[in-house]
Amino acid sequence: VADPIKMRRIVKTGAIVVADHATQAEWYQQAAAAEGVMVDILVDCDVGDHRTGAGSTEQVLEIAQTIGRSPNLRLRGLQAYSVLGSHAGGRPERERVSREVFERAAAIRDAMSRGGFSTEILTGGSTGTWEIDTLVPALTELQAGSYVFMDMAYRREGLDFKPALTVLATVVSANHQAFVTVDGGFKAFSTDRGYGPEASHLISGEPLAGTKYRWGGDEFGYVDLESTGHKLKLGDRIEFIPPHCDPTANLYDRIYACRGEHVEAVWPLKRQIL
Ligand SMILES: Cc1ncc(COP(=O)(O)O)c(C=O)c1O
C-alpha cells in the first residue's frame, strides 16, 4: 500500500502492515501518529519474485532503521512471500523455489538480528508450498489462502484439499447429443489460467467425471458429454470448480454456504475493502 489515505484506514484495523521502502515506513508512521495508534510492521523482502520487496540486505536494514526511529511503529520481523513457488509446477520444482526463497530469507533475517532488530516473525509460503515450507525451521507463519476454497490450478499441482468453492450454472440448451450449453462463461469464471472450469457434479451430487468444459462466450459455456455416458437435460444445475478461486470469488457479491442441500449462511463479499 502506498497511499496515505488508505494507510490511515489500515492502521485503524490492527492488521500487521508491510513496507519495502523507507518512505513507505515513514508514511505508515505519519498515518499511525495521525490516528494515535501503534502499528506492527514487517519488512517485505524480495526473495526472488521481483514483485514487491526490498531488493538487498542493505535496503532491508535501512527500512528497519527507519522503523526503529518511528515512535508509532513496532518492527516485528520480515515477510518473504514468493508467488513463483506456489504454482512452480510439480513438487520438485516447488521444493527448489522454496529452498532458494528461505535461504535468502534466513540470510536477511540473520543480518537483521545482527543489527539488533526484531525478527520474531518470518512469514511467507502459500497453499502450494505448505508441505514444504512448514518443515522450514525459520518460518513462523504460513500464508496459505487458497486452501480454504481450492481451485483447478492447485488441483493440477496435485494438492488434495477438497474443493469447497463451486459456481452453480444451469443447462440452458440441450439440443445436441454431444454437448449441452450452460449459462456460465467469461463473466462467471476467472479467465487468467488459460483453461475453463471443471464440471464437477450435478447439484444432486451425481459426479460428472470425464466431461469437458469449453468457453462459449461472455454468458455461455459448453459441457462436452461425448463418450462419458452422462445425459444432461434442460434445466439441470451443475456445480463447477473454478480455474482460479481468487478472481472467481471477486466476480460475485455473496457466497452461499451450504451443508448438504441446506443453505446455512449467506456471506457478503466486500470486494473493495480499501
Ligand atoms: C502476499 C501473499 N500471501 C499469501 C497469498 C496466498 O497464497 P495462496 O492463495 O496461493 O495460498 C497470496 C496470494 O495472492 C499473497 O499475495
Side-chain angles (χ1 to χ4, degrees):
V1 177
D3 177 333
I5 297 170
K6 290 182 178 179
M7 285 168 161
R8 282 189 67 162
R9 276 188 243 154
I10 289 174
V11 297
K12 286 194 284 188
T13 67
I16 300 181
V17 301
V18 299
D20 78 355
H21 197 280
T23 303
Q24 209 172 7
E26 286 166 4
W27 288 346
Y28 270 123
Q29 164 56 31
Q30 287 160 15
E35 295 297 337
V37 291
M38 277 301 288
V39 174
D40 289 335
I41 184 165
L42 307 171
V43 181
D44 183 26
C45 306
D46 182 353
V47 282
D49 286 5
H50 309 322
R51 183 171 78 171
T52 64
S56 66
T57 304
E58 291 69 37
Q59 194 186 8
V60 169
L61 294 176
E62 186 202 344
I63 299 165
Q65 281 157 4
T66 305
I67 296 169
R69 289 194 298 271
S70 305
N72 294 75
L73 302 182
R74 194 165 33 221
L75 180 60
R76 300 288 304 278
L78 59 153
Q79 169 168 268
Y81 172 76
S82 165
V83 70
L84 288 180
S86 63
H87 292 84
R91 180 152 177 165
E93 191 53 15
R94 277 182 274 137
E95 275 175 351
R96 189 191 63 73
V97 176
S98 263
R99 200 166 39 245
E100 287 181 8
V101 163
F102 287 107
E103 273 170 18
R104 284 199 191 109
I108 296 168
R109 180 204 55 187
D110 292 347
M112 282 175 71
S113 218
R114 283 194 300 275
F117 299 109
S118 165
T119 56
E120 66 185 291
I121 295 177
L122 197 172
T123 179
S126 65
T127 302
T129 54
W130 79 272
E131 283 172 296
I132 300 157
D133 297 342
T134 46
L135 300 176
V136 175
L139 189 84
T140 66
E141 179 192 70
L142 182 79
Q143 294 191 8
S146 298
Y147 82 99
V148 173
F149 285 152
M150 275 296 285
D151 55 26
M152 284 180 61
Y154 269 137
R155 275 157 75 88
R156 288 182 172 206
E157 284 283 342
L159 272 81
D160 61 2
F161 292 113
K162 207 171 155 201
L165 181 75
T166 60
V167 172
L168 190 64
T170 304
V171 175
V172 290
S173 184
N175 292 331
H176 303 269
Q177 284 275 318
F179 66 90
V180 293
T181 306
V182 296
D183 60 352
F186 297 131
K187 291 182 183 173
F189 305 105
S190 60
T191 53
D192 60 313
R193 293 290 184 205
Y195 45 80
E198 177 185 316
S200 173
H201 53 273
L202 285 169
I203 199 167
S204 61
E206 186 188 319
L208 292 173
T211 59
K212 209 169 170 321
Y213 176 91
R214 277 183 294 127
W215 298 110
D218 293 348
E219 289 92 6
F220 297 102
Y222 305 105
V223 177
D224 288 328
L225 305 168
E226 235 167 351
S227 72
T228 62
H230 297 296
K231 289 198 174 20
L232 294 178
K233 56 184 189 315
L234 192 65
D236 275 349
R237 294 186 159 248
I238 301 174
E239 292 195 39
F240 288 88
I241 300 169
H244 187 183
C245 59
D246 317 43
T248 299
N250 194 62
L251 299 171
Y252 295 91
D253 291 325
R254 60 192 79 89
I255 288 178
Y256 294 92
C258 303
R259 194 184 302 277
E261 292 185 355
H262 299 282
V263 175
E264 294 220 342
V266 181
W267 296 327
L269 291 173
K270 290 189 181 164
R271 286 181 280 176
Q272 299 285 332
I273 291 172
L274 294 178

